[in-house]
Amino acid sequence: MPETTDEAAHDLPTSFSHTALVVENIEEAAVRFEDVFGVSFSSPEHHVLTGGSARSSLRMSVSLTQEPYFVLVEAVDEPDDVFGREQVGSLAYWGWWEEDPAERLRKLEAEGVGIAATYAATADAPPEMIITEADLCGTRICYVAPALRDRMTDKARQEASKGPLPASYYHVGMVVPDIDAAIQRCATVFGVPFTDAAWTESPHQEEGDVVHAPFRQRQAISRTREPYIELIEATGDGVFGPSRAGALMYYACWETDMTSRLARLGSQGFGMDAVMRMGAGADPIAAITSYDDKGIRIELADAAAKPVMEHWARTGKLPTF
């Protein structure tokens, strides 16, 4: 088993900083997140932003955690808006800190990346937030300028209780039609390297009444510190099938007591889309929940696998045993 080396992780580039979930009501969503994840949120704050000739008042709340943050954005009554009501329950984008949004915008346009929205504090100010259109990977990226970043993180730090901030999640997965094309595109757009696509295997994967023994798929992750960007090539007709492509799938969390956590999730109303085991009747080593009514979906992974992921990110090669 590869060993965890925190020093080596510091040599890797940083990854995304947050993901945004569009919700109907922030207060209700924050209560649900605290129940499910055991984390608190900053009090909701209005961000009045100008995009072109339009002005949007976004009501946002940030988790009082380490990065990556959970960000809740209350839906707005604007048709086809990135945060419109038709987006409720969906993870809207990868969030990325950007020191020079104006330069980033020029690069994105030069690379042919579609821009869904740009926001600034005033009509004449540089952009504070840039949101791309979904591309072949099926999701958006949100670049956040230092001023807005600092307002978000400072508010979270001010409202957090004393002591170390809790961890949140360690990657977000995304199903893609063509993993080789997705790796190339994501590496270009995000500006971080990726591992080569590798075959992974779940010895015994249960998806409702369907059992795969084994279930094999091609995956890749960003060669970054946590959180990782995980790309999964569409496989089969179940949880990783083509119908799931083009959206951020879940919050992936390490878990040291899988059996207890799964029982607790069941009591909280979650179903299970997939449960992975080493063999029939064995304890779970990973699981993916169904969505709840707030748009929460979780992948749990046994914390014993953490050194494997770190080795994969650090070297680009998935260990073989």
Side-chain angles (χ1 to χ4, degrees):
M1 175 71 70
E3 295 182 357
T4 299
T5 55
D6 293 335
E7 294 81 5
H10 290 305
D11 293 334
L12 297 174
T14 56
S15 181
F16 66 96
S17 56
H18 63 284
T19 51
L21 179 68
V22 183
V23 299
E24 187 71 40
N25 180 282
I26 277 187
E27 284 81 7
E28 290 181 1
V31 169
R32 178 63 168 171
F33 267 79
E34 183 164 6
D35 183 39
V36 173
F37 292 100
V39 301
S40 300
F41 279 78
S42 66
S43 56
E45 185 175 47
H46 283 276
H47 294 272
V48 180
L49 303 170
T50 298
S53 60
R55 290 175 64 81
S56 296
S57 179
L58 300 179
R59 197 163 177 252
M60 303 172 64
S61 189
V62 181
S63 62
L64 307 182
T65 63
Q66 302 172 40
E67 289 187 22
Y69 302 119
F70 300 105
V71 174
L72 304 177
V73 183
E74 199 162 75
V76 297
D77 290 317
E78 296 291 339
D80 302 320
D81 193 280
V82 172
F83 305 109
R85 294 202 178 278
E86 68 275 13
Q87 302 298 325
V88 166
S90 64
L91 283 167
Y93 55 67
W94 311 96
W96 209 276
W97 304 139
E98 176 53 62
E99 294 301 320
D100 190 344
E103 178 61 21
R104 171 64 67 177
L105 182 59
R106 285 191 288 271
K107 288 181 178 179
L108 291 171
E109 291 173 338
E111 292 166 355
V113 177
I115 306 300
T118 60
Y119 298 99
T122 66
D124 299 326
E128 286 198 330
M129 186 158 58
I130 302 165
I131 302 178
T132 69
E133 291 283 7
D135 67 0
L136 65 85
C137 294
T139 192
R140 296 185 172 100
I141 308 163
C142 177
Y143 296 97
V144 177
L148 182 54
R149 172 196 67 197
D150 293 346
R151 290 201 296 273
M152 290 169 59
T153 56
D154 286 351
K155 185 174 180 62
R157 282 194 293 267
Q158 290 167 7
E159 296 191 22
S161 59
K162 292 182 179 179
L165 293 172
S168 57
Y169 53 102
Y170 79 97
H171 79 261
V172 173
M174 183 166 56
V175 175
V176 297
D178 181 334
I179 195 166
D180 297 303
I183 289 170
Q184 184 176 13
R185 183 60 174 169
C186 285
T188 298
V189 173
F190 287 123
V192 298
F194 277 74
T195 65
D196 293 336
W199 285 100
T200 63
E201 183 175 293
S202 297
H204 184 92
Q205 182 163 309
E206 302 164 0
E207 299 183 19
D209 295 331
V210 178
V211 176
H212 303 278
F215 183 84
R216 300 184 74 238
Q217 61 190 160
R218 292 178 77 210
Q219 295 176 267
I221 63 170
S222 58
R223 296 189 61 185
T224 61
R225 308 174 202 177
E226 291 187 12
Y228 306 116
I229 301 164
E230 180 188 43
L231 303 175
I232 308 161
E233 191 162 66
T235 306
D237 56 4
V239 67
F240 298 112
S243 64
R244 302 296 179 95
L248 297 181
M249 288 189 66
Y250 44 58
Y251 304 106
C253 303
W254 295 120
E255 180 55 57
T256 56
D257 187 346
M258 191 74 66
T259 301
S260 296
R261 182 68 183 279
L262 290 180
R264 183 165 177 257
L265 287 169
S267 71
Q268 293 167 329
F270 286 94
M272 291 294 148
D273 279 1
V275 177
M276 298 76 163
R277 309 175 191 271
M278 292 304 293
D283 291 338
I285 56 172
I288 299 173
T289 73
S290 56
Y291 286 105
D292 77 349
D293 63 358
K294 297 293 185 291
I296 298 173
R297 192 185 199 196
I298 306 167
E299 180 188 48
L300 298 176
D302 193 312
K306 186 172 183 178
V308 174
M309 293 290 285
E310 292 177 335
H311 178 90
W312 194 11
R314 192 171 62 250
T315 67
K317 303 297 181 183
L318 184 65
T320 56
F321 302 98

